[in-house]
Amino acid sequence: KAGVTQTPRYLIKTRGQQVTLSCSPISGHRSVSWYQQTPGQGLQFLFEYFSETQRNKGNFPGRFSGRQFSNSRSEMNVSTLELGDSALYLCASSPPYSGANVLTFGAGSRLTVL
Amino acid sequence: AQTVTQSQPEMSVQEAETVTLSCTYDTSESDYYLFWYKQPPSRQMILVIRQEAYKQQNATENRFSVNFQKAAKSFSLKISDSQLGDAAMYFCASPNNAGNMLTFGGGTRLMVKP
């Protein structure tokens, strides 16, 4: 069974640009969550999508957005990049039942903003 | 809001020895789960062990076990017979009950000495 796939693995952008990251969950998983990991702030929840609907949202500015497609693949977008957006962005998927599910994480997308 | 605290930024253990990583949390939920995740240098987060709060018995997964003290809101991870491959960042995490939003602790870097 393929794991959670995130693309691209590495990318470099400059301030003011925008970026789109992609996440393909494990087959059959309908929930996709996104996390930002930085040395200063640690791991912070961005948002979660379930069946194409945003189910939870963390405390991030509106520059951070996401969406989920009918095949459960998800994208997140960051517009007007700032230096502080440099981070490892992790995506996780979980199976379609209620309760506290076990998340399976992808390898992450390392974003560097210059 | 949930908080998760890991008071040990760094720990070291001799190969084959036992080490305990600490975690405290705060939640207003009556029924919840707690997780320990491992993040090796490859960056991919891997679930180590999960504890359901309503279960009094401590969870065990091979060399990994937890000491769950619900009244004290403490959730420590014990690694027995430490191996070089155990070297990683370890994160304690607690989800809210409204989906897959995890609150992570700041992490403990575990070094294993040969």
Side-chain angles (χ1 to χ4, degrees), chain B residues 46-65:
Chain B
I46 304 164
L47 178 68
V48 174
I49 199 165
R50 175 172 88 156
Q51 173 78 43
E52 296 172 85
Y54 68 86
K55 288 188 176 179
Q56 298 206 352
Q57 187 172 7
N58 289 324
T60 300
E61 287 286 343
N62 301 313
R63 298 183 295 107
F64 299 88
S65 61

Side-chain angles (χ1 to χ4, degrees), chain A residues 33-106:
Chain A
S33 307
W34 289 89
Y35 291 82
Q36 182 197 64
Q37 186 175 23
T38 60
Q41 298 298 317
L43 279 153
Q44 293 186 287
F45 173 79
L46 279 157
F47 27 63
E48 179 201 4
Y49 287 88
F50 182 83
S51 294
E52 303 179 64
T53 301
Q54 189 179 82
R55 185 157 71 173
N56 285 299
K57 187 177 190 308
N59 190 24
F60 278 82
R63 300 185 298 107
F64 291 81
S65 63
R67 59 178 174 169
Q68 186 179 34
F69 302 95
S70 58
N71 62 357
S72 293
R73 188 177 71 86
S74 178
E75 290 181 346
M76 66 162 284
N77 183 276
V78 188
S79 62
T80 319
L81 283 166
E82 301 177 359
L83 295 178
D85 297 333
S86 294
L88 178 66
Y89 290 89
L90 293 168
C91 166
S93 73
S94 62
Y97 51 83
S98 62
N101 299 311
V102 172
L103 301 186
T104 301
F105 283 85

Side-chain angles (χ1 to χ4, degrees), chain A residues 9 31 35 37 56 94 100 105, chain B residues 33 39 44 50 98 100 102:
Chain A
R9 291 291 306 276
S31 168
Y35 291 82
Q37 186 175 23
N56 285 299
S94 62
F105 283 85
Chain B
Y33 295 79
Q39 188 178 38
Q44 188 140 10
R50 175 172 88 156
N100 292 313
L102 289 182

Side-chain angles (χ1 to χ4, degrees), chain B residues 27-46:
Chain B
T27 180
S28 56
E29 304 291 343
S30 57
D31 188 16
Y32 50 92
Y33 295 79
L34 296 164
F35 300 87
W36 278 99
Y37 279 89
K38 169 185 177 181
Q39 188 178 38
S42 67
R43 303 182 328 206
Q44 188 140 10
M45 298 276 282
I46 304 164

Side-chain angles (χ1 to χ4, degrees), chain B residues 65-109:
Chain B
S65 61
V66 300
N67 183 5
F68 174 49
Q69 302 289 328
K70 190 172 182 179
K73 295 185 177 177
S74 169
F75 180 58
S76 60
L77 174 69
K78 186 171 85 170
I79 306 174
S80 304
D81 185 25
S82 296
Q83 300 175 359
L84 295 178
D86 294 334
M89 285 290 291
Y90 286 82
F91 293 94
C92 177
S94 174
N96 64 21
N97 282 345
N100 292 313
M101 173 182 171
L102 289 182
T103 299
F104 285 89
T108 297
R109 180 176 302 281

